[in-house]
Amino acid sequence: MTLRVLLAALLLVLPLTARAATFERCEKPEILIAEEAFAGAGAIVLVAAAQVGDTEAYNRWFGTFSRDRAEAVRTNLKAVNTALLSDEMVAVCPNLGEDGCLRDTYANVYPDQPYVINLCPNFFAQPNMTDHRPGAPELENGTREGTIIHEMSHFHVVADTDDLCYSRSECARMARRDALGAIRNADSYQYFAEDVTFYPAPRPDPGGDPLPDLPIDWPPADEPSANAPPAEVAPIDRTMLPRASDQGGAGCLSCRLAR
């Protein structure tokens, strides 16, 4: 079964997972892309909530398992799904340079203004979950569906997450050293939801050779090899108050960054 067929099957057999958003300043092609992303996000986050447990995927994105932390993760994923069912969902499509849509930003929200999400031009260039095979370099920073989950988790009334790391590589490393931080981090929920639905961790074949299409940088190395190219500079946290104040906002602006 292909990933596209599996996503379609999920949307058919699961209960309602997302309502139609109200769109502002969006062209018709953008609306079609966003509607698919919202529906996919609702489907995978509901599955992800049911998959929380002492598993490899949980340990990868949230660190060492504990019942209390796992319950917090499950509650937050369910809250994202509930938010996606809200009649108050508004998706805005600003141009580059408007409403915090910088050249390195996929999407952003004001956490104290549910459920308004700015979908920046970079969002529409992201892959959806069925565009690539697991492990493709294009998936290092996630998918459109995952970005919706990331942004919805930022709202204070949903999961009140922060941006403590970006990218699969960085967030996998953070989970190993800071489990409490991981359950407060928006990307951790995004990558967990993607992995337990479409991108499961690989298993070695009987001959001991790795399977093809491995998830990127898992398990991550503690230190880069001597021959590795220089790492990119990690994006700064976009929830800083000065940026919100400059734009006249009432609260911090939380962004999903492109790299």
Side-chain angles (χ1 to χ4, degrees):
M1 180 181 291
T2 68
L3 297 180
R4 189 174 299 277
V5 172
L6 181 55
L7 177 57
L10 281 172
L11 295 176
L12 287 173
V13 303
L14 290 174
L16 187 64
T17 53
R19 294 190 188 279
T22 298
F23 291 93
E24 297 180 359
R25 295 151 53 191
C26 299
E27 301 293 335
K28 185 174 181 180
E30 294 173 326
I31 292 174
L32 294 175
I33 290 172
E35 284 180 335
E36 182 180 7
F38 278 113
I44 68 173
V45 79
L46 196 60
V47 171
Q51 293 295 314
V52 173
D54 191 1
T55 64
E56 188 174 359
Y58 179 95
N59 293 331
R60 184 184 311 122
W61 300 118
F62 299 110
T64 303
F65 178 84
S66 82
R67 291 186 180 276
D68 289 344
R69 288 196 296 269
E71 186 55 37
V73 169
R74 184 181 297 107
T75 297
N76 288 340
L77 289 166
K78 288 181 178 179
V80 170
N81 183 62
T82 298
L84 287 167
L85 292 171
S86 172
D87 292 327
E88 300 174 16
M89 178 71 62
V90 178
V92 185
C93 301
N95 294 319
L96 189 66
E98 299 176 347
D99 297 328
C101 283
L102 307 179
R103 64 179 179 81
D104 59 355
T105 308
Y106 292 129
N108 64 58
V109 300
Y110 285 95
D112 61 349
Q113 297 178 22
Y115 297 102
V116 180
I117 177 171
N118 291 321
L119 303 177
C120 302
N122 280 324
F123 172 83
F124 299 98
Q126 274 195 291
N128 68 29
M129 289 193 67
T130 61
D131 281 345
H132 301 282
R133 297 180 66 188
E138 293 85 352
L139 300 174
E140 165 69 358
N141 292 299
T143 63
R144 287 194 290 261
E145 295 89 345
T147 291
I148 296 297
I149 293 171
H150 174 115
E151 291 301 329
M152 297 304 296
S153 75
H154 276 316
F155 291 117
H156 295 323
V157 297
V158 179
D160 198 18
T161 59
D162 296 318
D163 289 323
L164 303 180
C165 65
Y166 291 104
S167 87
R168 286 178 165 266
S169 303
E170 292 300 319
C171 293
R173 278 190 280 267
M174 188 188 77
R176 293 191 303 166
R177 66 175 181 263
D178 183 7
L180 289 175
I183 67 173
R184 293 172 35 239
N185 182 59
D187 259 9
S188 303
Y189 291 90
Q190 168 175 344
Y191 299 139
F192 177 78
E194 290 172 345
D195 278 11
V196 298
T197 50
F198 287 103
Y199 306 136
R203 304 276 182 191
D205 69 17
D209 295 323
L211 294 173
D213 299 321
L214 301 182
I216 296 165
D217 196 25
W218 180 255
D222 287 321
E223 298 293 340
S225 73
N227 298 322
E232 292 184 21
V233 176
I236 63 172
D237 189 326
R238 298 292 184 177
T239 63
M240 295 189 300
L241 283 169
R243 180 172 299 281
S245 299
D246 290 344
Q247 298 185 63
C252 297
L253 184 66
S254 298
C255 297
R256 177 79 173 90
L257 298 183
R259 296 189 65 177

